[in-house]
Amino acid sequence: MKRNLNIALLLIASVGLIAGAVSWGRSPQIASRPTNTSGLQQRVRSAIERASPAVVSIGNATGTIISPDGLVLSQAHVTHEGRNDGDQVDVFFSDGKKTTATLIARISSADVSLAKINGGGPFAFLQLTNRAVALGDYVIKLGHPQGYQADRGLVARLGRVICTEPGHHVTDCLLQGGDSGGPFVDLDGELVGMVDSSVGLLPGEDVPYELSAALEDSRLLRFSNASGPKRGRTLLSNIPMSLTPVAELRPYLQAMQKGKVNEPITKHRIPDPIARVGQWPNEPGPSLTLPRCDWMDGSRHIHKLIGRTGTRIDGLRQQLIEIVVNDEQRCMGFMIEDGLIVTRASTLPDEFKLFARSGVVKEITGEVLAISKSLDLALIRTEPSGLANYGPAVEASPIVGTLVFVPQMQPSSARMGIVSVAERKLASLGSSETKIPALYDYEFAARLNEFPVFLDTDIHLLQNESGSPVADTEGRLIGIAVRTTLIGTRVIPADEVLKWTRSVTNTTKP
């Protein structure tokens, strides 16, 4: 009884703080949409920096601090699976500090929950936006996929709102287990919504036809199908997820804050997003779907955004090499120096053909000069062709939120994303293998941290695009893409690539 009274008093005291954080009196505003790379990059970096301290790992997934006294918003299947109100749960901050929180309330039918951090404060927290999310808006997903990992920390992904319905939106950010309960923020770093359910596979009949058709034809779904295991026909990770906007979350928050939640304790498993694949609102309203060409990986969107960077990306495109076996592209290569091609080693077949596309398609000959198993890179020597140097590499590792591009074969075509996890060097290889839940124990899970140094991006490359160069907005080399991961593409940093290639060429000089 005493504990329930304390919790009730705590909830009453928290209502005023939350109301202040929500900024109820502020007039709705329309979020601006940057039309160039520099403007977008600046706002993405700033939003991530502002929001990250308020995003925590809770219950082996994600939550958001929404008040200075430490109220944490998450999902019921994250916090209350096997736990009840009043129980304790571990919390990790983005800086690695650990504490505990008390479970306050949950609404299982809406998969929403509330907890409060024990002691300390005031805490960094996210304001709940007072403006509606609009079709085409940029959003940033922050979370702890696979749960908290000390050598990785928070993961960021940039996307756009590709479908809107009253109370139910979809983004083109790819998420996975552990992202549950985590926030979507806008370019001002304000909370605009929380993860809801997956829509990438087996969409229900009530999912808008335009969205269903676009997903079937999208790079997102092809990336998903190529990157994860399936339970029957249901993908277990890397799926586009819907977003519950703040306007829909407020009534649940108010009910939990006022202690008006009186749900019976259920013994059955709380449905998680995977179990709700394809479920759309019971009463779907008018829907709007962004054309595929305007998504983050859409041609029209990239063309609009690249601007003057286009020429520099095209310069990198001139160094692209297709590596082909039996008329089938197996991977990409990059002419890092005239006469030297670097590519991913583990997808390089014993016999292959090389095709350069600088101007016209031309078959060239080459032989493997060296292989680095630790970096999964191969260096191929070919005849010099007078090709210009690719230009400078970045001098320092880019920070999280830096815009990055992977040039494609088509003129002025590229894939765009951000650095989702900054460069890190691991003291021991495979240090996080034991942290991977059994659910994700498949072919590449054991290799998640096999490289001595690497960074991650949220770009959705397919396996046959590994070996491609990754560049920043100035066209400078960031690194070489070597692995499809659960959150995008893993990259060996440019300085490590150059260090290795130079060591090889220095020892092979006559």
Side-chain angles (χ1 to χ4, degrees):
M1 177 71 69
K2 184 177 180 180
R3 184 179 68 176
N4 292 337
L5 178 61
N6 289 338
I7 290 174
L9 291 174
L10 181 63
L11 290 172
I12 294 171
S14 300
V15 173
L17 291 170
I18 289 293
V22 170
S23 302
W24 294 100
R26 193 174 59 190
S27 301
Q29 302 174 20
I30 301 299
S32 60
R33 298 178 187 168
T35 55
N36 58 68
T37 54
S38 59
L40 178 59
Q41 178 171 271
Q42 182 178 1
R43 294 194 65 185
V44 170
R45 285 176 169 177
S46 176
I48 292 174
E49 182 180 8
R50 186 180 301 121
S52 293
V55 182
V56 297
S57 171
I58 183 170
N60 205 34
T62 309
T64 308
I65 304 175
I66 57 172
S67 74
D69 65 339
L71 281 178
V72 179
L73 171 68
S74 189
Q75 288 181 287
H77 80 270
V78 169
T79 57
H80 284 69
E81 185 63 47
R83 305 182 189 92
N84 299 318
D85 292 351
D87 288 349
Q88 306 295 300
V89 62
D90 289 337
V91 171
F92 289 90
F93 295 95
S94 58
D95 61 4
K97 293 179 180 178
K98 181 182 178 181
T99 186
T100 59
T102 300
L103 300 183
I104 300 298
R106 55 84 168 87
I107 304 177
S108 300
S109 58
D111 200 8
V112 177
S113 67
L114 200 61
K116 186 178 186 303
I117 297 173
N118 297 321
F123 299 98
F125 69 102
L126 287 187
Q127 286 194 337
L128 280 69
T129 187
N130 202 33
R131 54 179 171 245
V133 177
L135 190 71
D137 278 357
Y138 288 103
V139 289
I140 302 166
K141 176 64 183 70
L142 298 171
H144 291 277
Q146 305 166 324
Y148 178 76
Q149 295 182 29
D151 53 18
R152 182 202 62 190
L154 197 63
V155 179
R157 280 135 295 176
L158 178 66
R160 301 185 78 195
V161 177
I162 61 174
C163 181
T164 62
E165 283 203 351
H168 204 79
H169 305 332
V170 179
T171 78
D172 56 3
C173 296
L174 286 183
L175 313 182
Q176 59 152 313
D179 275 312
S180 292
F184 285 91
V185 301
D186 61 14
L187 295 185
D188 291 327
E190 292 188 353
L191 184 69
V192 297
M194 185 174 69
V195 175
D196 185 13
S197 57
S198 50
V199 296
L201 215 62
L202 301 180
E205 294 180 357
D206 52 355
V207 172
Y209 170 78
E210 293 81 2
L211 175 61
S212 179
L215 280 170
E216 289 177 2
D217 186 46
S218 76
R219 190 176 194 82
L220 293 184
L221 203 55
R222 289 190 289 118
F223 175 84
S224 300
N225 290 335
S227 302
K230 301 172 185 177
R231 180 193 297 152
R233 294 175 61 206
T234 304
L235 195 67
L236 296 182
S237 64
N238 283 342
I239 38 185
M241 300 287 285
S242 60
L243 172 159
T244 301
V246 162
E248 297 296 312
L249 293 173
R250 280 199 178 106
Y252 300 126
L253 276 173
Q254 291 170 350
M256 290 188 291
Q257 290 165 15
K258 293 176 181 178
K260 293 185 177 181
V261 178
N262 186 24
E263 287 192 332
I265 302 233
T266 56
K267 295 182 179 179
H268 61 80
R269 180 178 176 84
I270 298 172
D272 63 20
I274 299 302
R276 301 200 310 273
V277 167
Q279 293 185 11
W280 208 250
N282 294 329
E283 299 178 1
S287 64
L288 295 173
T289 301
L290 199 66
R292 263 283 294 118
C293 53
D294 281 332
W295 292 10
M296 278 290 289
D297 66 347
S299 56
R300 188 162 64 193
H301 178 66
I302 298 296
H303 280 282
K304 286 180 179 178
L305 202 58
I306 285 181
R308 66 185 181 88
T309 311
T311 352
R312 300 178 182 178
I313 298 297
D314 278 348
L316 284 177
R317 186 178 65 84
Q318 299 300 314
Q319 333 281 119
L320 287 179
I321 305 293
E322 283 184 299
I323 300 176
V324 175
V325 178
N326 298 328
D327 297 326
E328 179 185 341
Q329 179 189 320
R330 294 295 179 88
C331 57
M332 298 299 297
F334 178 62
M335 190 81 76
I336 198 162
E337 187 178 315
D338 194 10
L340 290 175
I341 300 167
V342 65
T343 185
R344 176 180 170 183
S346 57
T347 49
L348 186 67
D350 293 334
E351 297 183 4
F352 52 84
K353 295 180 180 179
L354 303 173
F355 290 91
R357 288 180 176 263
S358 52
V360 295
V361 179
K362 177 183 178 182
E363 184 174 354
I364 57 178
T365 58
E367 61 175 352
V368 176
L369 188 62
I371 286 179
S372 168
K373 291 184 177 180
S374 64
L375 299 176
D376 195 10
L377 293 176
L379 193 61
I380 300 173
R381 180 161 51 196
T382 185
E383 290 297 320
S385 60
L387 199 63
N389 195 294
Y390 67 87
V394 291
E395 297 179 0
S397 175
I399 66 173
V400 174
T402 299
L403 290 185
V404 289
F405 298 87
V406 174
Q408 306 287 287
M409 284 297 186
Q410 299 76 17
S412 299
S413 179
R415 300 295 170 199
M416 189 186 83
I418 62 171
V419 174
S420 54
V421 183
E423 179 181 319
R424 54 207 189 275
K425 297 183 179 180
L426 300 182
S428 59
L429 302 186
S431 60
S432 294
E433 288 181 14
T434 57
K435 301 175 185 175
I436 302 169
L439 180 64
Y440 304 104
D441 185 18
Y442 46 94
E443 191 266 330
F444 54 84
R447 302 201 307 260
L448 282 176
N449 288 340
E450 86 241 61
F451 301 114
V453 55
F454 56 93
L455 59 88
D456 285 318
T457 74
D458 66 348
I459 297 179
H460 314 134
L461 291 185
L462 302 178
Q463 181 168 298
N464 64 353
E465 295 170 316
S466 59
S468 296
V470 182
D472 66 5
T473 59
E474 299 299 319
R476 297 175 300 177
L477 187 69
I478 293 287
I480 300 295
V482 290
R483 186 79 77 241
T484 293
T485 73
L486 294 169
I487 55 175
T489 299
R490 182 144 293 170
V491 176
I492 303 299
D495 58 344
E496 294 294 324
V497 177
L498 292 171
K499 187 191 305 181
W500 174 68
T501 57
R502 286 165 183 165
S503 69
V504 171
T505 53
N506 287 338
T507 56
T508 56
K509 286 181 179 178

